[in-house]
Amino acid sequence: GRRWRRSFKLSYYNEYKSYLSITLRRVMGAQERQAMEEELTELKHKLMEARQGVCDTALQNETQDMEQVSLAVKARKTLKGHLNKVFSMDWCMNSRHLLSASQDGKLIVWDSYTTIKEAAIPLKSSWVMTCGYAPSGNFVACGGLDNTCTIYNLQKKDDVGACKISKELIGHDGYISNCRFLSDSQILTSSGDKTTILWDIETGRQTTVLEGHTGDINSIALQSPGSSTFVSGSTDLKNKLWDIRDGMCKQTFEGHESDINSVTWMSNKNNFGSGAEDASSRLFDIRSDQQLAVYAVGEPGTTGICSVAFSKSGRILFAGSYDCSVYVWDVLRLEGICRLESHENRVASLGVNDDGSALCTASWDTFLKVWN
């Protein structure tokens, strides 16, 4: 009996010691977490103070004496051919051809001068969300809910005249939201899995995986064709500036109050714009590391901005919205110039061509329109 009681006491002591050790670790862990949270809060305050320190004026205060912009924009061409919602479009660098992707399961290459369809590419999946044109004009790409970026060679056709698949890039764990060529051999894709991936097209392998967002990445934009710098917009309400060479996020920009749907660069490469579900577009500056302007079309919840693009000069911002309109803004004076109304459903995608002569809008009403 004594031996049993001694064994029981020893077992109880060991269990109590183990429990005490675990409890102590938990307490220490909570204390460490609290200390880290306090340090993080302090660093955020210091960052905000540093940003405010270089914000010695407001853009609107410095530009009110500038001459107002007068603009007359008309829909010159209507591109008809899709049978379902058009989700995305992209210009070729020759400023004449453009690409569209629709949930009718087709990619179409258009001649914007003549409205002729130069190629109609049937897709494996009709749930397409994005498309992109290679700088050379020889390749196009698309992606969507199949989690795959598919690349087509416009110069090679099969026996029935359809463009051949050049490569299928499989690796994302979520839908492909955006794809942008750096060259004929490299492409950048963003996804609902919160990552952006740089691919080697020839081998089909991932070169770099960029992580940092805490929500779906809805849009990416290269600083310039072939650039190693790009900006991303996410449902975590943040825009991030990245350098592909080291795979690191260099800057984070906050301001939007809801999901960011679109990002685009100004031609000066120092400023970018974004559009979001909060019914606003915003202008950011990477040199001062902060937001410069807000272009609001209504109260949050009344509408949303699907896509944004700057004019060639950067003075004008185009914002396609859920309410079937394109809002045209004077970037410097923060004033609305006009409102383009021709579509009958949301303007899901828009873009200005490389020479700045035309704007193309793509809508859920199945049409694309070319404006100038």
Side-chain angles (χ1 to χ4, degrees), residues 5-306:
R5 284 194 295 272
R6 192 183 307 116
S7 174
F8 176 78
K9 288 178 181 178
L10 184 62
S11 173
Y12 179 79
Y13 170 76
N14 288 334
E15 287 183 12
Y16 177 74
K17 185 171 141 182
S18 175
Y19 169 78
L20 191 63
S21 176
I22 292 170
T23 303
L24 187 60
R25 283 201 301 270
R26 285 177 178 172
V27 170
M28 290 180 66
Q31 291 174 342
E32 288 175 358
R33 283 197 299 272
Q34 184 177 356
M36 291 178 67
E37 287 174 358
E38 289 175 355
E39 184 181 359
L40 181 61
T41 302
E42 184 180 353
L43 288 172
K44 283 183 176 180
H45 286 316
K46 288 182 178 179
L47 178 60
M48 292 300 295
E49 289 174 0
R51 282 178 170 171
Q52 290 172 2
V54 297
C55 185
D56 55 354
T57 187
L59 177 64
Q60 196 169 15
N61 295 339
E62 300 298 315
T63 59
Q64 283 305 298
D65 294 335
M66 297 186 69
E67 186 178 347
Q68 292 182 331
V69 174
S70 59
L71 187 69
V73 184
K74 291 185 178 180
R76 306 292 181 178
K77 307 281 185 181
T78 299
L79 308 182
K80 301 177 182 180
H82 284 298
L83 303 176
N84 207 332
K85 299 173 181 176
V86 183
F87 262 73
S88 180
M89 61 75 51
D90 193 31
W91 283 99
C92 179
M93 288 192 68
N94 65 12
S95 296
R96 175 169 180 169
H97 295 95
L98 60 91
L99 177 71
S100 61
S102 167
Q103 289 196 347
D104 63 5
K106 293 286 193 304
L107 282 182
I108 297 181
V109 178
W110 305 85
D111 184 330
S112 66
Y113 292 2
T114 64
T115 72
I116 290 175
K117 295 183 279 290
E118 296 203 347
I121 305 171
L123 306 177
K124 288 185 176 181
S125 169
S126 62
W127 301 105
V128 63
M129 298 177 68
T130 183
C131 63
Y133 227 127
S136 67
N138 295 326
F139 296 90
V140 296
C142 68
L145 297 182
D146 60 355
N147 301 0
T148 302
C149 179
T150 307
I151 299 170
Y152 295 88
N153 189 334
L154 298 180
Q155 307 304 315
K156 293 184 178 180
K157 306 290 179 67
D158 59 20
D159 296 337
V160 296
C163 297
K164 288 186 176 181
I165 294 178
S166 175
K167 188 68 68 174
E168 290 182 309
L169 305 176
I170 302 173
H172 279 295
D173 294 326
Y175 61 87
I176 306 293
S177 60
N178 222 198
C179 58
R180 288 294 175 260
F181 283 93
L182 277 73
S183 65
D184 284 355
S185 60
Q186 288 184 308
I187 193 170
L188 195 65
T189 58
S190 61
S191 171
D193 64 10
K194 308 173 188 176
T195 68
T196 304
I197 297 178
L198 177 66
W199 301 83
D200 182 305
I201 295 174
E202 187 175 348
T203 63
R205 294 179 179 175
Q206 301 175 13
T207 303
T208 308
V209 179
L210 301 103
E211 299 176 292
H213 279 294
T214 57
D216 299 6
I217 302 174
N218 285 335
S219 182
I220 53 175
L222 294 170
Q223 193 174 35
S224 59
S227 172
S228 60
T229 303
F230 73 94
V231 68
S232 59
S234 168
T235 60
D236 63 13
L237 318 187
K238 296 179 178 69
N239 292 308
K240 288 182 178 289
L241 181 70
W242 305 83
D243 191 325
I244 296 172
R245 292 168 293 188
D246 60 12
M248 299 294 292
C249 173
K250 299 302 181 182
Q251 290 171 262
T252 299
F253 300 86
E254 300 183 35
H256 280 293
E257 300 172 10
S258 191
D259 297 357
I260 300 170
N261 291 325
S262 178
V263 290
T264 186
W265 282 95
M266 193 182 283
S267 57
N268 66 9
K269 303 177 186 178
N270 292 317
N271 301 98
F272 70 88
S274 57
E277 299 280 346
D278 59 11
S280 77
S281 304
R282 297 173 188 245
L283 178 67
F284 297 89
D285 184 89
I286 65 174
R287 296 163 298 182
S288 61
D289 191 38
Q290 60 190 302
Q291 177 179 289
L292 297 184
V294 180
Y295 311 94
V297 300
E299 294 297 323
T302 58
T303 187
I305 301 300
C306 304

Side-chain angles (χ1 to χ4, degrees), residues 326-344:
V326 176
Y327 292 87
V328 185
W329 292 92
D330 183 327
V331 171
L332 297 181
R333 291 177 58 88
L334 279 72
E335 296 176 347
I337 299 173
C338 62
R339 185 174 170 183
L340 309 181
E341 298 177 291
S342 182
H343 287 290
E344 297 179 359

Side-chain angles (χ1 to χ4, degrees), residues 287-325:
R287 296 163 298 182
S288 61
D289 191 38
Q290 60 190 302
Q291 177 179 289
L292 297 184
V294 180
Y295 311 94
V297 300
E299 294 297 323
T302 58
T303 187
I305 301 300
C306 304
S307 184
V308 288
F310 288 105
S311 63
K312 183 72 173 177
S313 68
R315 181 68 188 271
I316 298 168
L317 175 67
F318 300 98
S321 74
Y322 289 171
D323 63 12
C324 316
S325 305

